[in-house]
Amino acid sequence: MNKLIAKRLETVRWAAPARLVEVAVCGAMRLPAGALRTGRGPRRVAFARQLAMYLTHVVFGLTLTEVGVCFERDRTTVRHACALVEDRRDQQAFDLSISALEAGLAHLAFGLQLGSYAEVVR
């Protein structure tokens, strides 16, 4: 198979979970669909994007580079986003909300056959 075609197929495989997370985060944060695809955006949108990048990495096991490709960001930006979200998980209410999103995404992915639960969390 052509290397370029193989690379595009990989990118598509990564994009499906990222789009699922994006929709879930927009719904949870009451943002319009596609809000995370704007430029930097207001602080609320930027944090939603950071949360979506974190969940894509944690729930679906994509590497920071793969997540960066999905969200058109550098892997160092994804690393920063993950660190910010991890730091906020010390707050009990926030952690509970994120845990619920993680569980819901993992079960939805399993139901949509995006992978088994073991594959989803690698």
Side-chain angles (χ1 to χ4, degrees), residues 20 55 58-60 89 95-111 117 120-121:
L20 181 64
L55 289 169
V58 171
V59 175
F60 292 97
R89 290 199 78 165
D95 184 58
L96 185 60
S97 298
I98 301 309
S99 294
L101 273 171
E102 287 174 343
L105 285 165
H107 284 88
L108 184 59
F110 179 73
Y117 185 78
V120 168
V121 294

Side-chain angles (χ1 to χ4, degrees), residues 16-88:
R19 296 300 72 86
L20 181 64
V21 172
E22 184 180 340
V23 168
V25 168
C26 283
M29 296 189 70
R30 297 188 172 142
L31 293 169
L36 307 188
R37 300 205 163 261
T38 60
R40 294 182 69 165
R43 181 177 284 181
R44 185 166 177 249
V45 172
F47 179 71
R49 185 182 309 106
Q50 291 168 337
L51 178 58
M53 289 188 288
Y54 169 82
L55 289 169
T56 302
H57 173 62
V58 171
V59 175
F60 292 97
L62 272 65
T63 67
L64 299 179
T65 301
E66 293 167 345
V67 174
V69 168
C70 294
F71 288 91
E72 298 178 2
R73 300 294 192 268
D74 187 75
R75 68 175 175 75
T76 59
T77 303
V78 178
R79 183 180 65 215
H80 175 72
C82 290
L84 286 177
V85 173
E86 273 300 325
D87 287 347
R88 286 194 62 185

